[in-house]
Amino acid sequence: MELTRLAPQTGTAFLLREGQRLTVVDPSGEQVSDFFAVLAEDHDEWLSSGRTIDYANSIAVTTGTVLYSNRSTPMATVVEDTCGQHDFLLTPCSQETFDLLYPELEGAYHPSCFENLATNLGPLGVHPDRISTTLNIFMNVWVERNGELHIDPPTSTAGDRFVLRADADLLVGLTACSAEKSNNGVCKPIDYRIDG
């Protein structure tokens, strides 16, 4: 099946049925994609980084990782990962992110993953306040022993892919991340496809 391309700093949302696979591809290298999901039939059940990290006893997400909801329901399983470096600690970038962390912008409007997720999930009935911590595919975050976080350029190279199998019917939001610092200074496209 052909890939669909998300232009830089944009997003989309769609229904992913149980058993279907979502493949996310970094076509250029060093580009993050934010993934968020709720159960299609109950938007109060949403992707939980805390539950997923707790049950895996790890902050690493890779092949074999089960993504859990806030009610401990398995939502999706990672079935392929050619990069091996992703983040499940940080929230999607928002206008406030740029206001606080990019002072050089002097408060000017900036596209954000939160805006792209909210804009695209909204017509599917998902309220913006439901959007919490995203799985930041290809994002390179690491932690010092003292707890300090570092965001380095993604380790993904052109063609790296991350494949999830839905373990329930999901409403999914997906972005080509808008934060320059997360993408080695340049925001690039993300490709994806749904199989099954």
Side-chain angles (χ1 to χ4, degrees):
M1 294 181 67
E2 289 189 12
L3 295 166
T4 299
R5 175 151 294 182
L6 291 178
Q9 300 182 318
T10 67
T12 189
F14 46 83
L15 174 65
L16 188 69
R17 293 282 187 192
E18 182 177 356
Q20 288 185 318
R21 293 187 178 206
L22 171 65
T23 299
V24 180
V25 177
D26 182 351
S28 306
E30 299 186 325
Q31 174 60 42
V32 173
S33 175
D34 287 30
F35 168 92
F36 187 71
V38 299
L39 287 190
E41 298 303 319
D42 185 352
H43 303 173
D44 288 331
E45 191 159 1
W46 38 267
L47 179 66
S48 171
S49 61
R51 297 287 180 200
T52 301
I53 290 168
D54 191 8
Y55 300 150
N57 195 35
S58 174
I59 62 171
V61 174
T62 190
T63 305
T65 300
V66 177
L67 305 180
Y68 286 91
S69 77
N70 57 308
R71 296 175 183 158
S72 300
T73 300
M75 298 182 78
T77 301
V78 182
V79 295
E80 185 178 1
D81 174 18
T82 66
C83 175
Q85 184 67 48
H86 316 281
D87 167 66
F88 212 1
L89 299 175
L90 302 181
T91 58
C93 62
S94 65
Q95 183 62 48
E96 291 76 14
T97 302
F98 296 103
D99 293 346
L100 292 169
L101 302 181
Y102 291 69
E104 66 275 16
L105 297 177
E106 299 180 339
Y109 168 77
H110 193 291
S112 71
C113 288
F114 182 81
E115 178 187 31
N116 285 325
L117 291 168
T119 298
N120 287 283
L121 284 168
L124 301 179
V126 180
H127 191 274
D129 285 343
R130 179 52 60 228
I131 300 168
S132 61
T133 303
T134 45
L135 172 57
N136 304 306
I137 300 167
F138 306 129
M139 189 168 178
N140 185 9
V141 176
W142 58 279
V143 185
E144 297 267 16
R145 285 187 60 85
N146 67 2
E148 182 181 357
L149 293 175
H150 294 267
I151 301 172
D152 283 352
T155 61
S156 56
T157 59
D160 268 334
R161 63 190 174 276
F162 183 85
V163 186
L164 288 167
R165 182 194 66 234
D167 296 328
D169 290 350
L170 306 175
L171 296 180
V172 169
L174 191 70
T175 75
C177 178
S178 299
E180 286 84 357
K181 290 179 183 176
S182 299
N183 300 295
N184 201 18
V186 180
C187 295
K188 300 168 286 292
I190 281 290
D191 292 344
Y192 74 96
R193 75 168 182 249
I194 299 170
D195 298 300

